[in-house]
Amino acid sequence: HVQLVESGGGSVQSGGSLRLSCVASPASSGIKFMGWFRQAPGEEREGIAAIILGSGVSYHRYALRNRFTISRDISKNTVYLQMNDLESKDTAMYYCAAGENIRRITYDWEDEQGYNYWGQETQVTVS
């Protein structure tokens, strides 16, 4: 059973930065890609970014691409989300997710149905 453990959320002032981490276990799991989503109060969950673990090819939500960056460290089974120049509208619950069928991410990385596993979410508050 794959487990995703998130960390790095918290409160930050507008203009600040945070880096979220998501560790996948076990290391031998069959996940091929991971992504980050978020859900603000009263809003639908939206995709932020995703990355193919083997190649490092990444996808970013267009509106966030200049501030948010996804990366991975294969040796640590960890995916990161670097968030810079945070704004109040970035306040949300942030989710890490992982998928096994690599075709799903190449077709539509934002499709939640393509992800097999989800983390427990972490709160990010920007004031």
Side-chain angles (χ1 to χ4, degrees):
H1 179 69
V2 174
Q3 186 177 18
L4 305 176
V5 179
E6 304 172 20
S7 61
S11 297
V12 64
Q13 290 188 337
S14 181
S17 298
L18 282 174
R19 188 178 77 160
L20 304 182
S21 300
C22 178
V23 181
S25 62
S28 59
S29 66
I31 58 174
K32 298 294 190 297
F33 60 93
M34 296 176 70
W36 289 97
F37 291 75
R38 70 181 183 182
Q39 186 168 22
E43 302 289 334
E44 293 188 355
R45 190 156 58 185
E46 65 179 13
I48 301 171
I51 190 165
I52 299 174
L53 298 179
S55 66
V57 170
S58 62
Y59 308 82
H60 291 79
R61 189 174 191 85
Y62 186 81
L64 300 176
R65 72 195 190 286
N66 292 328
R67 299 189 295 120
F68 290 19
T69 303
I70 192 170
S71 62
R72 94 278 195 232
D73 185 332
I74 298 297
S75 67
K76 297 180 179 179
N77 302 311
T78 301
V79 168
Y80 304 98
L81 182 67
Q82 179 66 43
M83 305 185 292
N84 298 326
D85 194 21
L86 285 162
E87 305 170 5
S88 57
K89 63 183 180 181
D90 296 317
T91 295
M93 296 297 289
Y94 284 69
Y95 299 82
C96 173
E100 298 172 335
N101 185 350
I102 200 168
R103 293 182 181 180
R104 301 300 297 268
I105 188 176
T106 56
Y107 179 71
D108 183 2
W109 69 268
E110 294 180 85
D111 181 4
E112 296 182 23
Q113 299 302 313
Y115 294 81
N116 304 96
Y117 309 101
W118 290 82
Q120 82 284 5
E121 86 264 355
T122 186
Q123 175 71 42
V124 171
T125 302
V126 184
S127 59

